[in-house]
Amino acid sequence: MAQTPEAKVKEKIKKILKANNVYFAMPMGTGYGNSGVPDFLCCVNGRFVAIEAKAGKGIPTALQEKNLRDIKAADGWTFVVNETNIEDLEQWLK
């Protein structure tokens, strides 16, 4: 089965996180969980980091934006990553 463009971005993010020994979880959206939770919840050097993966010119939904704002308000770090800025995430982790 062919991967969607966003799935390809997620695979690249996973490789980068693993290569940098970052703990991460990918919560699955279900009817029982919270909607709009970022694609990756990570712990980087004791810091809570959330990553929302997008493909192309995709932008987070209003609910995803709210979750990203709430994480920032709680002193966490957030990233919206696509094909054009994925190197920025890799550099930040180093």
Side-chain angles (χ1 to χ4, degrees):
M1 180 177 224
Q3 282 188 323
T4 65
E6 187 169 306
K8 290 178 184 178
V9 172
K10 288 179 184 179
E11 283 301 316
K12 289 178 183 177
I13 292 170
K14 278 192 241 181
K15 286 181 183 178
I16 290 168
L17 296 176
K18 287 177 183 178
N20 287 279
N21 297 314
V22 173
Y23 170 83
F24 68 92
M26 296 177 68
M28 297 185 87
T30 67
Y32 298 104
N34 296 340
S35 297
V37 174
D39 295 311
F40 294 86
L41 302 178
C42 311
C43 185
V44 179
N45 297 323
R47 187 73 137 146
F48 183 84
V49 178
I51 303 169
E52 180 61 37
K54 292 294 177 189
K57 295 183 181 185
I59 59 171
T61 65
L63 190 52
Q64 289 169 336
E65 285 284 0
K66 181 202 178 304
N67 277 279
L68 295 172
R69 281 193 310 273
D70 290 348
I71 291 166
K72 286 180 185 178
D75 207 24
W77 288 64
T78 65
F79 294 91
V80 177
V81 176
N82 62 27
E83 304 89 343
T84 62
N85 68 359
I86 198 163
E87 296 84 19
D88 295 343
L89 174 65
E90 194 164 18
Q91 289 302 314
W92 185 81
L93 289 169
K94 293 183 189 273

